[in-house]
Amino acid sequence: MGGESPQAAAAGRRRRLSLEKLPLRAFIQVRALSGADAVNALRPFYFAVHPDFFGQHPREREVNENSLKRLNGYLENLQKPGFGSFKPTQLTFYVREREQSPSNVQESFGSSGFRAVSFTLQTRDLLSTVLDVLNSCSLSTEHVQSSYSNVETLSNQGAPRAFQRPIRWDKTYYSFTGFKDPEEELEQAQRMETTLSSWLYNNEERSVKKLKNSLPLRKELDRLKGELLQQLQLLDIRWQRSWGIAHRCSQLHSLSRLAQQSPEALRNAKERTVIFTDRSGMSATGHVMLGTMDVHHHWTKIFERLPSYSALQRKLLVLEDRVSHLLGGIQITYIEELQPMLTLEEYYAILDGFYNRVRNSRLPFHPRSLRGLQMILESDIYAPRLHELGHFIIPTVCDPAALQWFIITKAQEARANLEKKEELMVLEKELIQASTERFSLHRLYKEPSVSSMQMIHSCKRLLKESLPYLRGLHLCISHFYSVLQDGDLCIPWNWKN
């Protein structure tokens, strides 16, 4: 090979000198964020909101669990090719406060130890979504900027910025500084093998004390509920969340005062169910939703508007029939316990969008071939699923051919599950009654997120145990151990002993 001429060598040196003067980020290749990259970039966020750190705070744990499911569904949809329909997604997280002083490192919750953060995602790509989540929770984005040079922040523009811990330090850093390793902390929280007997032994006294203190309020709650059911001729009064007894009594007192102030408006609630929830309106199932943060004026407006919802309810029924006709006679249903609490308007808009997509795709289902089967619509998933109780869970946006293939191939299994559904419900009820009597419980119930199969599995194992600590208590089958503020005991359905 020949050598370079002196002129060529000099030109090469000049080019190198010119390139050295260019900013470094001019050479950094900007690439799109992958799903794995997004998960890695969100690690500080996951450490701050992971439900395993909220074992003693069941309400905050439940909020974070539900919000994480919605966030993961949002991220999953962003990665699907050709996915162009995005709906703004509102999320609320309880974020753990992290002290930067070794002397305070043990006080991971402090007096409260966490703060509530609410934000709405409207981003169309993974990178923007990751930055939005981190910024909304006041978490560092420096580790994202170091890999994706097109991200402009105040730090890139020279603004002063407090040093924040990167996504991962070497293990020696934690040994030297005394700070807790968040990865190790999470692993320990997940590895802790609490046994049912030991946990009940250690928490029975605390539960009994709280339960005893709550008894007067429990009686007051039953009295208020009974009076309102009779006075307003309601079918039922329910609560969407696991609010404490005092909170529920306060809500019923508010409804009672409203009934005295606006009796004409509340007559519209006759033979309806009232649900205390996060916002006011009419639910997809026709129940009256009363937002616990709304003032009486908002509640009054909802009761006054109840007759006007009749037309929209009729339109919804017609729309459900049209979707059913296009999908071989399958029944479109809404299961309140398994789906987000949607208003009637929101559910109609979702179903109408689904109807238009199915109609335009012209799926060749044989008429009435799927009669007897059931399906629900979900906005936060991408792939269709079959529930253990026999109904299909169908994403509002998915490939029509894949939808048709899934329903046809799973139809026989769905019919078998539906036939077993009644048997499962009966068995679950019998096991709850047997367990209540065996341990002399005042009440045995489960969280909505616990399936019938999980409840059956848990009760069967409970009946084989000797648990004298449960006598007279309220026991909730959940996903974690906790003593609620009114004395109810929560145990995971897959408890160990």
Side-chain angles (χ1 to χ4, degrees), residues 102-357:
S103 62
N104 294 333
V105 76
Q106 296 296 330
E107 300 176 3
S108 58
F109 280 98
S111 56
S112 63
F114 42 79
R115 53 191 167 86
V117 176
S118 295
F119 55 94
T120 300
L121 291 178
Q122 304 184 65
T123 46
R124 299 300 183 97
D125 61 89
L126 285 174
L127 180 56
S128 301
T129 304
V130 167
L131 290 172
D132 201 3
V133 171
L134 293 173
N135 286 322
S136 298
C137 296
S138 302
L139 297 171
S140 173
T141 59
E142 290 178 357
H143 58 286
V144 184
Q145 299 163 34
S146 65
S147 299
Y148 304 94
S149 60
N150 62 334
V151 181
E152 295 291 342
T153 64
L154 289 175
S155 61
N156 292 42
Q157 300 165 9
R161 185 182 181 91
F163 174 78
Q164 296 194 33
R165 187 176 65 197
I167 192 169
R168 185 183 300 200
W169 287 98
D170 187 87
K171 297 294 183 183
T172 55
Y173 167 81
Y174 301 105
S175 301
F176 180 76
T177 61
F179 292 155
K180 281 190 177 180
D181 181 348
E183 287 189 344
E184 185 177 316
E185 190 180 5
L186 178 59
E187 289 174 2
Q188 287 176 352
Q190 293 173 328
R191 280 200 310 265
M192 288 179 91
E193 293 290 339
T194 303
T195 64
L196 179 62
S197 297
S198 63
W199 188 85
L200 290 175
Y201 176 79
N202 292 328
N203 290 276
E204 178 209 13
E205 185 177 347
R206 185 158 62 107
S207 174
V208 170
K209 183 178 180 180
K210 288 186 173 185
L211 181 60
K212 185 177 180 181
N213 292 337
S214 73
L215 288 178
L217 275 177
R218 290 180 186 270
K219 292 180 180 178
E220 175 73 356
L221 181 67
D222 291 340
R223 182 188 68 80
L224 287 169
K225 182 177 178 180
E227 288 179 358
L228 284 169
L229 288 173
Q230 183 175 5
Q231 178 187 353
L232 303 177
Q233 300 182 51
L234 300 173
L235 294 179
D236 195 11
I237 298 176
R238 300 206 300 264
W239 286 263
Q240 182 195 8
R241 299 195 179 280
S242 303
W243 283 301
I245 304 298
H247 196 170
R248 297 187 182 200
C249 284
S250 176
Q251 292 159 1
L252 292 185
H253 277 299
S254 295
L255 182 58
S256 181
R257 287 194 297 270
L258 184 61
Q260 296 172 6
Q261 296 166 3
S262 306
E264 290 295 328
L266 268 73
R267 285 196 180 97
N268 293 328
K270 181 180 178 181
E271 296 183 355
R272 293 184 183 270
T273 293
V274 169
I275 301 179
F276 289 98
T277 180
D278 295 327
R279 52 192 176 142
S280 299
M282 175 171 280
S283 75
T285 50
H287 301 325
V288 182
M289 300 164 57
L290 297 182
T292 57
M293 301 302 291
D294 291 339
V295 295
H296 280 186
H297 174 72
H298 292 138
W299 286 8
T300 303
K301 289 294 183 183
I302 292 300
F303 284 113
E304 290 175 346
R305 289 180 54 201
L306 288 180
S308 67
Y309 282 108
S310 299
L312 185 56
Q313 286 180 300
R314 288 193 294 271
K315 287 178 64 178
L316 179 64
L317 292 175
V318 171
L319 188 58
E320 287 178 338
D321 287 341
R322 288 176 177 172
V323 175
S324 175
H325 177 73
L326 292 175
L327 296 181
I330 192 170
Q331 179 187 358
I332 316 301
T333 185
Y334 182 92
I335 304 177
E336 190 178 285
E337 296 79 11
L338 300 178
Q339 296 181 257
M341 182 67 73
L342 298 175
T343 64
L344 186 63
E345 296 91 338
E346 289 171 337
Y347 183 57
Y348 183 88
I350 289 173
L351 190 60
D352 187 49
F354 181 77
Y355 167 71
N356 289 326
R357 282 187 288 273

Side-chain angles (χ1 to χ4, degrees), residues 19-74:
L19 291 174
E20 286 171 0
K21 294 178 182 179
L22 291 175
L24 176 60
R25 65 180 182 181
F27 297 97
I28 299 177
Q29 182 181 5
V30 178
R31 62 185 176 86
L33 201 69
S34 69
D37 292 332
V39 171
N40 190 50
L42 286 172
R43 286 169 69 83
F45 164 75
Y46 289 134
F47 286 134
V49 303
H50 200 289
D52 281 352
F53 290 120
F54 291 80
Q56 298 302 314
H57 303 268
R59 180 179 177 276
E60 288 77 13
R61 178 188 178 110
E62 179 185 0
V63 170
N64 282 10
E65 283 180 341
N66 292 334
S67 293
L68 278 174
K69 290 178 184 176
R70 300 187 68 192
L71 173 60
N72 291 335
Y74 192 93

